Amino acid sequence: MKDTLVKQLQPNVSKSKKESSNEELIKRVQIKDSPFEVITQDGYSFGVMGNYRLTEKSNDAKDIEKQLKKITWNRIIQIVMILDEVKSKIKKQEEV
């Protein structure tokens, strides 16, 4: 399991220390052998696949990780729906 810290910058933020509080710290943890990640921001964690959130917010990142590792019918249906939406978006881009 690899921990990665990512800073998300606000647009047009100057580099002065005074305005550095406009930066948000986001922690991303990749779930081994899966397309899922646990995102932790402002003390809350949730599971994602790409740009799509899969779980509700929680205070416990380990619980989110456990949820994402467990294969359920609900999770399978979520993934199929996400893949269908991505496929539709790609198809629309190709038509343009």
Side-chain angles (χ1 to χ4, degrees):
M1 183 168 47
K2 180 182 171 188
D3 290 353
T4 306
L5 294 179
V6 179
K7 281 190 176 180
Q8 182 179 11
L9 300 176
Q10 302 288 330
N12 300 321
V13 173
S14 68
K15 293 185 178 183
S16 73
K17 287 189 176 190
K18 184 178 178 182
E19 294 187 25
S20 67
S21 63
N22 288 336
E23 296 176 359
E24 246 181 294
L25 194 60
I26 299 172
K27 181 179 179 184
R28 293 179 169 266
V29 178
Q30 176 69 42
I31 305 299
K32 186 177 180 177
D33 298 327
S34 80
F36 309 131
E37 291 181 311
V38 176
I39 306 291
T40 302
Q41 179 181 18
D42 298 330
Y44 292 101
S45 298
F46 54 91
V48 299
M49 183 176 113
N51 294 330
Y52 297 89
R53 192 169 90 184
L54 299 173
T55 65
E56 297 294 323
K57 287 184 178 181
S58 171
N59 293 327
D60 187 1
K62 292 292 181 190
D63 181 52
I64 297 294
E65 184 177 341
K66 195 184 313 182
Q67 288 179 39
L68 292 174
K69 286 182 177 180
K70 186 175 180 181
I71 299 172
T72 63
W73 281 109
N74 185 44
R75 187 75 62 227
I76 292 169
I77 291 169
Q78 281 181 314
I79 301 308
V80 169
M81 291 177 68
I82 289 170
L83 293 175
D84 186 54
E85 185 174 328
V86 169
K87 180 182 170 186
S88 295
K89 285 181 179 180
I90 291 171
K91 192 173 183 178
K92 284 181 183 178
Q93 287 177 349
E94 288 175 350
E95 291 174 357
V96 174

